[in-house]
Amino acid sequence: MRDLGQALEARRQQHLYRQRRIVEGPQGPRIRIDGRELLNFCSNDYLGLANHPEVVAALKHGADAYGAGSGAAHLVNGHSSAHHALEEELAAFCGRPRALLFSTGYMANLGTVAALTGRGDTVLEDRLNHASLIDAGQLTQADMKRYGHADMDALARRLQAAQGETLIVSDAVFSMDGDLAPLPEMAALARDHDAWLMVDDAHGLGVLGQGGRGSLEHFGLGSDEVPIYMGTLGKGLGSFGAFVSGSEALIETLINESRTYIYTTALPSAVAEATRAALRLVQSESWRREHLAALVARFRTGAEQLGLPMMPSQTAIQPVVLGESESALAASAALMERGILVSAIRPPTVPKAAARLRITLSAAHSEADVDTLLTQLEAIRELWITGASS
Ligand SMILES: *Cc1c(COP(=O)(O)O)cnc(C)c1O
C-alpha cells in the first residue's frame, strides 16, 4: 500500500500541497477569511451576481416552492418546472433549439464527450483545455489526441490523421491564461474535415459579447459553426450548474445516452430559480460587462506600467506568471498579508515552471479596488521580479 503520509510530505516539499481556506459569508469584492476582510481577486463571480439580492431572493422563493432537494434524477421525477423553464430560457438566450441542464460543468463535459464518441472515433483537444475536458477525453473509448495551445496547423494535422467520427473540443476562454481560442479558424477546420466542434464557455458566458451570450457572440458564430455549446452557471451567472445547448437531436441524444446526466440527482430547483434571476440580470444590466471591461483595461495599463509579467489576455482572467510554485506561493502569501486575496496556481493545473497568480476581476470591483491591487503588487515587487527571472 502506498504511504499516503510520505506522498503528502513530498508534495509539501515541492510546494505543491493544496489547502482550503475557510470563507465566512458570501462571495463579493470583499471576503472574510479567518476573521479578516480581504479584497478578493480570485473568484469567478465575474459579474458580481453570486450574492445579488434578486438572485438570493429567487433562491429563497425557489426553496419555498420546491423545497430543498430535487429528490431524484431528471429522468425519474426530479425534473421540475423550474428546471424546464431554465432550459427553455437558456436555449432562447443561446439562440438554439434546446438546452439541457447538468449538475456541474465537469459532469456536462464528461457526459457529452462520452455520449458523442466511442471506440474508433477521435477526440481532439487543446493542450490547455480544462481538466474536465481532458478527463472527458480519457473517459471516452475514443482516441484522444491533444494539439499545441491554439496551434491551428497542429489541429489541421490531427484532423488529417483522425479516424471515425471526430470531435474537436476546446475551452473558449482558457481558464488559467484568459486568452480566447481561435474559434473562427477552428470552425472552418471542423467544417472542412466534417468534424463536430464543441466549445466550453465557462469563462465567456454572461461576460463576453454585447448581450453576454459569450464567446460565440463575441466572434459572431452560430450553431452551424459550433453545434455543441457548453456553458457553466457557477461563474459569470453566479449560481451553480451547467448546460449544453444545441439541436433537438443533440439534446435528445444526451438525455438518452449521457451517463452523467442519467445517473445523478437533479440539482435543486431553487438553484434553477436563482439561475433564472441571474440570467435576467445578465440581459438587463449590460453595465456590468461594460464596467468589467473598463476594469480589465485599467488593470492592464497599470500592470504594464509596473512591468508585471502579464499574459495576452483581454478577459477578466489576468494571470501573472512567476515560474516556480514557491514564487507564486510567496507572492500570494505576501498579498494576503496586505489584505489582498489572489490564489497561486501551480502544476499540474498549469504547466511545469508556469506557476502563477491568477488574478480575476469582477464587475463588483470598483476602480479604487483595482488601484489598491496595483499598489500592493508594486509593494511586493521584489517577489515577482526575482520570481519571474528565476
Ligand atoms: C469551471 C470549469 C468547468 C467546470 O464547471 P463546474 O460547473 O465548476 O463543474 C468546466 N470547464 C471550464 C473551462 C471551467 O473553467
Side-chain angles (χ1 to χ4, degrees):
M1 260 197 310
R2 179 163 75 115
D3 183 336
L4 297 180
Q6 200 170 33
L8 284 169
E9 188 47 38
R11 183 176 277 276
R12 208 185 279 281
Q13 295 292 329
Q14 293 157 29
H15 308 284
L16 294 176
Y17 202 88
R18 297 170 187 250
Q19 270 169 307
R20 300 161 311 164
R21 297 187 189 95
I22 299 176
V23 176
E24 300 142 12
Q27 288 290 320
R30 282 165 189 74
I31 195 167
R32 278 193 87 73
I33 292 178
D34 288 337
R36 272 178 80 207
E37 189 179 86
L38 300 169
L39 200 46
N40 171 18
F41 287 101
C42 52
S43 165
N44 298 315
D45 179 24
Y46 301 123
L47 297 178
L49 298 179
N51 190 35
H52 190 288
E54 287 178 34
V55 177
V56 176
L59 184 78
K60 288 180 180 160
H61 291 145
D64 288 340
Y66 295 94
S70 61
H74 286 275
L75 282 168
V76 181
N77 69 349
H79 186 66
S80 73
S81 43
H83 295 130
H84 206 72
L86 175 58
E87 288 184 344
E88 288 178 349
E89 287 158 13
L90 285 168
F93 184 63
C94 296
R96 287 160 188 257
R98 294 280 300 273
L100 186 70
L101 278 179
F102 281 81
S103 292
T104 68
Y106 200 115
M107 292 166 72
N109 282 339
L110 290 187
T112 303
V113 172
L116 294 178
T117 61
R119 207 176 295 282
D121 296 334
T122 306
V123 175
L124 301 178
E125 300 214 21
D126 189 293
R127 193 164 286 285
L128 295 189
N129 272 356
H130 188 261
S132 58
L133 287 174
I134 301 297
D135 292 357
Q138 269 153 9
L139 181 69
T140 161
Q141 308 278 336
D143 186 22
M144 195 254 280
K145 289 270 185 331
R146 301 209 227 175
Y147 55 89
H149 179 50
D151 182 343
M152 292 297 99
D153 293 332
L155 175 58
R157 284 194 300 275
R158 292 286 193 207
L159 281 162
Q160 216 82 52
Q163 307 282 324
E165 294 287 345
T166 305
L167 172 66
I168 307 168
V169 54
S170 180
D171 285 26
V173 176
F174 287 89
S175 55
M176 296 300 136
D177 290 43
D179 59 329
L180 285 159
L183 294 179
E185 290 82 356
M186 295 173 73
L189 283 172
R191 186 198 53 218
D192 292 349
H193 293 268
D194 193 29
W196 276 317
L197 178 56
M198 170 174 170
V199 160
D200 170 342
D201 207 14
H203 302 276
L205 183 75
V207 181
L208 295 180
Q210 207 155 38
R213 288 177 177 75
S215 305
L216 301 190
E217 183 184 17
H218 171 86
F219 282 117
L221 297 170
S223 29
D224 287 345
E225 291 95 357
V226 183
I228 308 157
Y229 180 79
M230 178 275 194
T232 62
L233 305 169
K235 289 169 180 157
L237 273 89
S239 174
F240 187 77
F243 68 97
V244 172
S245 187
S247 69
E248 184 72 27
L250 171 70
I251 299 307
E252 289 298 318
T253 300
L254 294 179
I255 291 172
N256 281 277
E257 296 186 26
S258 177
R259 295 169 66 85
T260 60
Y261 181 77
I262 299 169
Y263 298 107
T264 200
T265 302
L267 57 78
S269 295
V271 172
E273 288 293 311
T275 310
R276 295 178 71 197
L279 190 59
R280 287 192 289 274
L281 289 165
V282 163
Q283 294 172 85
S284 62
E285 298 195 348
S286 54
W287 67 262
R288 290 177 185 275
R289 282 182 290 284
E290 287 150 22
H291 179 57
L292 178 59
L295 294 180
V296 170
R298 188 179 185 91
F299 176 71
R300 286 195 67 87
T301 304
E304 268 157 37
Q305 280 165 4
L306 291 181
L308 273 166
M310 304 299 295
M311 296 192 78
S313 161
Q314 301 302 320
T315 67
I317 302 166
Q318 291 292 329
V320 178
V321 177
L322 296 182
E324 296 309 316
S325 296
E326 196 174 359
S327 312
L329 282 178
S332 173
L335 286 170
M336 179 97 130
E337 286 286 301
R338 295 167 168 277
I340 307 264
L341 184 65
V342 174
S343 54
I345 308 283
R346 294 161 284 165
T349 309
V350 292
K352 277 215 182 69
R356 64 197 65 184
L357 296 174
R358 179 176 181 267
I359 293 170
T360 52
L361 300 174
S362 163
H365 287 127
S366 65
E367 291 186 348
D369 292 338
V370 171
D371 294 348
T372 303
L373 170 64
L374 288 164
T375 303
Q376 298 304 345
L377 282 165
E378 185 172 19
I380 62 152
R381 178 179 215 105
E382 282 312 305
L383 289 176
W384 48 262
I385 285 197
T386 50
S389 58
S390 72

